[in-house]
Amino acid sequence: MSWREAVLPVRMQRVAVLAPADSLREVLVRVAGAGVVQFEPGGEAEQRLHRAGGGEVAPKLAAQRPDLDLLERTGRADLLAGEAELEGHSAIAVRRGSVAGLAGWCARPDLPGLAEDLAAIGGAVVPLPAPRGVDPPTSLRAGGAVRRSFSGVVRTYGTVAYPDVDPTLPAGVAYVLMFGMMFGDLGHGLLLVLAGVLLAFGRPSRLAKWRHVWPFVTGAGATGAVFGLLYGEFFGPTGVVPVLWLAPLAEPIRLLTSAVAVGAVLLAAAYAVAIVNRWREGGPQLAVYASSGIAGAALLLGIGCVAGGLYLSSGVLAAVGGGVAVVGVLLAGAGYYATTSGGAAGALQSGVQAFDAVVRVGSNLVSFARLAAFGLTHAALGWLVWQGTTALFGAGPLGVLAAIGLFAAGNALAFALEALVAGIQALRLEFYELFSRVFAVEGRPFQPWHVPVVEFPEEEP
């Protein structure tokens, strides 16, 4: 697989599933068993299913045509539900003489196997041109455990448009980075890593259904541990590890500045992906003039250069940045104007939208200061617990016991509270600051028709 294929959704093919009319059921059973075709939009089985009281069952299909009376008498609502679905697809099949066919979508890698399977029973799958103006449904690549673990972040926001880049891996990396910066404590991070390892082994058993997220939990804990080393935090400022970069409570301004710088890098990465997406969605014109395209990227770059020039006392850098920002505003304004009815009203509307784009870029940058703010909160909670622990420790035997209890309970509270807060805030930054640029349109998920096929006797035993 080339790198180009790896960063895009699975390529789809419009297909027609064809079969002799008298063999349509057999062909559809094979298609249902393969579970690789999405058809596009009740018979007798539906009525019998309703009488059998099988409204919410997992459907199954009998390999051979079953006796519906037998299914009803034996209470096989699952097989009735499968027959009802099959009847629904069969009813919309187009028939020409002795041939029946249904149109749908299939992932290209699955086409050869499906074609071979259907040919064995007289059916066929024929590639069709995609309808004009209709994008295929989106199916993201399954990949390994890490990709599957990170995919929940993207699916929670929406479905990636078919032409767009698959943002799963970079989105996951951005999330754990932001989480770690807010959750910076070596001891707490290692506890989260341990939780991820336990999930990987299916422990505790009641959380086994979450086993697939173990790389996500482990990655978040690992970045929290790394930032804990940088901050010199191990269950608070205990002095067990030295400060390798900065102590949050001692240098809050430096931490705030660094958080905004991290945000600028993440926004730049989001714009890079967004430019590719706009180009694939609407060509070079959309990529240049969209506020989430080159126009927005130029505005961000210009603002960054102005800020850098002011910080470094470089008038040249600030002037260049101002010029780049103006170019970005003009490009965005032109893009907005193209969507209006023109005239003075259109110019006014596009001007307001361009001003809003400037404000949004600035506010999005400042929003990343929360990476430092919640990192400071975590450090403050750890400091408070540690101060109470050391104060109690010198108060005799009872004081030692009280200190141990306070240290354990305080760290448990700080761990739970900050894990929840950092998790929510990282998701908020991911959605509102990053995904709002990457996603301009939403796709529709690929939902292939799949019903398990089982053997069922034609007569009662």
Side-chain angles (χ1 to χ4, degrees), residues 131-150:
R132 186 182 299 274
V134 176
D135 282 334
T138 301
S139 174
L140 300 183
R141 300 182 188 280
V146 174
R147 182 186 286 270
R148 288 196 300 272
S149 178
F150 288 167

Side-chain angles (χ1 to χ4, degrees), residues 202-239:
R203 296 289 185 272
S205 56
R206 65 178 178 274
L207 297 180
K209 66 178 181 179
W210 299 103
R211 183 178 180 180
H212 66 284
V213 303
W214 74 263
F216 194 85
V217 175
T218 305
T223 55
V226 169
F227 276 98
L229 282 172
L230 296 176
Y231 298 158
E233 297 275 332
F234 182 78
F235 295 110
T238 56

Side-chain angles (χ1 to χ4, degrees), residues 174 177-178 181-182 255-268 270 300 360-375 425-426 428-435 437:
L177 172 65
M178 293 186 292
M181 195 168 187
M182 292 182 281
L255 183 60
L256 284 166
T257 304
S258 301
V260 173
V262 169
V265 172
L266 292 176
L267 280 174
L300 174 66
R360 279 192 292 111
V361 170
S363 63
N364 292 156
L365 272 173
V366 173
S367 185
F368 281 94
R370 70 187 64 220
L371 296 177
F374 289 103
Q425 292 301 323
R428 187 254 177 227
L429 289 170
E430 188 95 75
F431 284 180
Y432 290 98
E433 270 62 58
L434 303 180
F435 281 179
R437 288 165 171 77

Side-chain angles (χ1 to χ4, degrees), residues 332-354:
Y336 289 132
Y337 184 78
T339 64
T340 68
S341 57
L348 178 61
Q349 178 182 334
S350 58
V352 171
Q353 289 175 308

Side-chain angles (χ1 to χ4, degrees), residues 11-29:
R11 299 295 87 185
M12 290 289 166
Q13 177 64 57
R14 176 82 166 178
V15 297
V17 174
L18 304 178
D22 56 358
S23 302
L24 181 59
R25 184 190 183 280
E26 189 177 359
V27 169
L28 288 178
V29 168

